Amino acid sequence: MTFGFAPSAAGSLSTPAATASRLARMLEPAEWAAAGIPLLRNPREVVTGLHARHRPSPATAVVAVLDHEERLTASASFTPRQATPADGWEFRNALLAHLRRVVPHDLRRRTPVRTAVLLYCRDGDARWTEEDGAWMWGLRDACTLHGLRCGAYITLTHDGWQVLGEGRGGRHPHSASPPSDLAESGVDNGPSAPRRASGAPEPLRRTAAR
């Protein structure tokens, strides 16, 4: 498969050096697959649980931290600032900011014991995009800076969900799926009362869960 980059007005104003630097801050599926990203034991459960907890709509990112048994330790959903063209550096900063709000770093450990995964709900089909590549780079770098193991990058589109670089996916949930009840999802994906970083409870659809 050949991947191309669509021209944009913003991109046309960039210098060649800036464009080269931005393109270096993204990963293609083959690079991601070769990076040794740990496989999820049950990606459907992870996706279903995060969808029920955060109810993402297009342009929403959900970053989650899983323990060694793949149980949810913390998660946060947010809508990143729209930037054209996409830049992994900006995505890295957004992910790192939300990780710092919901879970302490593990930088003092010799090896990471927790894994961060990213679910990104977007328009379009399931094929890899330049934006996906920037998110992959951002997730990997944010994990390094927070002492976490870099885990799966999952897209949620109208075609369903897909773990990029693995070839695993499903039709439900998808980007237009109606909100489902967390208790009915059948997934033990963390506590039933999500909290903000401050510790105050708030509704599921807007939370950083701990």
Side-chain angles (χ1 to χ4, degrees):
M1 182 180 294
T2 301
F3 300 106
F5 302 106
S8 67
S12 64
L13 299 177
S14 301
T15 64
T19 299
S21 179
R22 180 183 62 81
L23 293 178
R25 293 190 293 269
M26 67 173 56
L27 297 172
E28 293 194 12
E31 296 175 292
W32 184 258
I37 305 300
L39 302 179
L40 290 170
R41 292 196 301 268
N42 195 328
R44 184 181 299 277
E45 281 195 0
V46 173
V47 173
T48 302
L50 292 178
H51 183 268
R53 182 175 293 277
H54 291 279
R55 304 176 183 182
S57 56
T60 300
V62 181
V63 61
V65 179
L66 310 178
D67 67 12
H68 66 284
E69 295 183 350
E70 216 166 87
R71 293 177 301 193
L72 182 65
T73 299
S75 64
S77 60
F78 62 97
T79 301
R81 184 177 70 85
Q82 294 300 311
T84 304
D87 193 319
W89 184 81
E90 294 189 10
F91 291 161
R92 185 277 307 274
N93 290 345
L95 289 167
L96 192 57
H98 284 84
L99 286 170
R100 285 170 172 167
R101 291 189 183 107
V102 299
V103 68
H105 68 75
D106 280 344
L107 294 172
R108 294 181 180 179
R109 294 183 178 273
R110 291 184 177 180
T111 58
V113 296
R114 295 182 292 183
T115 303
V117 301
L118 178 61
L119 171 71
Y120 184 53
C121 182
R122 61 168 173 79
D123 293 320
D125 57 34
R127 290 178 294 180
W128 180 89
T129 67
E130 183 178 311
E131 184 181 28
D132 293 327
W135 276 117
M136 289 171 166
W137 187 95
L139 176 62
R140 187 183 66 175
D141 213 45
C143 288
T144 298
L145 294 173
H146 207 62
L148 301 171
R149 179 186 294 110
C150 180
Y153 173 68
I154 307 161
T155 57
L156 193 68
T157 68
H158 62 73
D159 292 331
W161 60 271
Q162 177 177 251
V163 185
L164 288 186
E166 293 185 20
R168 293 191 290 175
R171 294 184 177 181
H172 299 283
H174 51 76
S175 58
S177 291
S180 58
D181 188 271
L182 185 63
E184 295 176 355
S185 68
V187 180
D188 180 14
N189 226 1
S192 58
R195 298 177 180 273
R196 295 187 183 132
S198 63
E202 65 174 331
L204 288 174
R205 72 180 65 192
R206 302 172 54 192
T207 67
R210 299 196 69 172

